[in-house]
Amino acid sequence: MRVLLVEDDRMVGETMSLALQDAACAADWVRDGATAIIAARDQHYDLVLLDLGLPERDGIEVLRTIRSSNDAVPVLIVTARDAVEDRIAGLDGGADDYIVKPFEMGELLARMRAVSRRKGGRAAPLLTNGRLALDPATREARVDDAEPVRLSAREFSLLQALLLRPGAILSRSELEDRIYGWGEEVESNAVEFLIHALRRKLGQTTIRNVRGAGWLVDREG
């Protein structure tokens, strides 16, 4: 999952960035509203974490700008503003959820998973194509009735990207985009290495290669 983190407080931003990376998210952190608008316009994100008290452009203005471009990316407001009026303004402005600082990172991650499920039209917490199942809460994958296996952060990110769109071929660049955030060095042959590791854990047929195009997991049968 690639996340845009919009937070002007350096300490909070650094803490959240590290926690998101530990949770297998590729996190891009910006510190003002104007840069957030540019980033949301130029890069595809799976979710936006948006503070309200931002320099240059207020968070509500950022939210309205994103929605005015018909961008349906899930937006979770993360702010110290706890007045009912602020919550109403955020939710009516197009936010999918609203959490007040201070908060536990575990709750934020659970809310992120919940809004991602709603975007994908899923009620169940698991991502699955009928045979292969992935639990975003535990980063465990399972094939049929086999015992679940724990995945590394990047193995999880790659498999999550494929299972969000079963049957769709994702290219190397699309998969790298889901795995790496800004400033992270893209390792040579990283995608092939991760797919090899996943096949070793889950079976050779779980991820299929389409020569010259990319990789996919089969649609639900």
Side-chain angles (χ1 to χ4, degrees):
M1 177 186 294
R2 187 152 189 170
V3 177
L4 176 61
L5 171 61
V6 190
E7 171 60 62
D8 67 319
D9 185 286
R10 181 177 295 277
M11 184 176 296
V12 174
E14 289 176 349
T15 300
M16 290 182 67
S17 292
L18 290 173
L20 289 168
Q21 290 171 18
D22 288 343
C25 296
D28 298 338
W29 173 27
V30 299
R31 300 181 62 189
D32 65 79
T35 306
I37 289 171
I38 294 170
R41 182 193 65 200
D42 294 345
Q43 172 69 49
H44 170 77
Y45 289 101
D46 300 300
L47 188 139
V48 177
L49 297 176
L50 179 64
D51 190 14
L52 293 183
L54 299 169
E56 297 193 31
R57 305 283 286 273
D58 182 81
I60 293 295
E61 187 179 355
V62 172
L63 177 60
R64 288 173 178 162
T65 301
I66 290 173
R67 293 301 185 231
S68 69
S69 64
N70 293 319
D71 188 344
V73 61
V75 177
L76 202 167
I77 290 176
V78 184
T79 182
R81 297 182 187 175
D82 60 355
V84 172
E85 293 80 4
D86 290 317
R87 299 184 191 217
I88 292 171
L91 294 169
D92 282 346
D96 296 271
D97 202 352
Y98 193 112
I99 187 169
V100 176
K101 302 172 184 175
F103 55 86
E104 291 292 332
M105 197 66 199
E107 180 185 0
L108 177 64
L109 293 171
R111 287 174 181 259
M112 290 169 59
R113 292 191 291 268
V115 298
S116 295
R117 285 199 302 273
R118 290 199 294 270
K119 179 194 175 186
R122 294 179 291 110
L126 298 182
L127 286 169
T128 181
N129 69 344
R131 289 195 64 240
L132 176 62
L134 180 66
D135 188 339
T138 63
R139 295 216 306 255
E140 291 180 333
R142 186 184 70 249
V143 177
D144 295 328
D145 295 324
E147 286 295 314
V149 295
R150 178 80 171 179
L151 305 182
S152 72
R154 285 183 172 159
E155 289 169 356
F156 169 82
S157 294
L158 189 148
L159 188 58
Q160 180 188 45
L162 292 169
L163 274 173
L164 283 170
R165 298 173 59 192
I169 300 169
L170 298 187
S171 67
R172 180 196 309 276
S173 62
E174 287 173 316
L175 290 171
E176 288 174 346
D177 190 59
R178 308 266 61 79
I179 298 169
Y180 295 96
W182 291 344
E184 292 187 86
E185 183 180 355
V186 180
E187 300 170 19
S188 176
N189 297 322
V191 170
E192 286 88 348
F193 177 81
L194 291 169
I195 289 174
H196 175 75
L198 286 166
R199 285 171 171 165
R200 191 173 64 247
K201 290 180 177 181
L202 301 169
Q204 294 298 313
T205 62
T206 53
I207 300 174
R208 293 201 292 117
N209 173 245
V210 180
R211 187 177 297 276
W215 296 265
L216 78 158
V217 296
D218 289 323
R219 288 189 181 89
E220 187 169 351

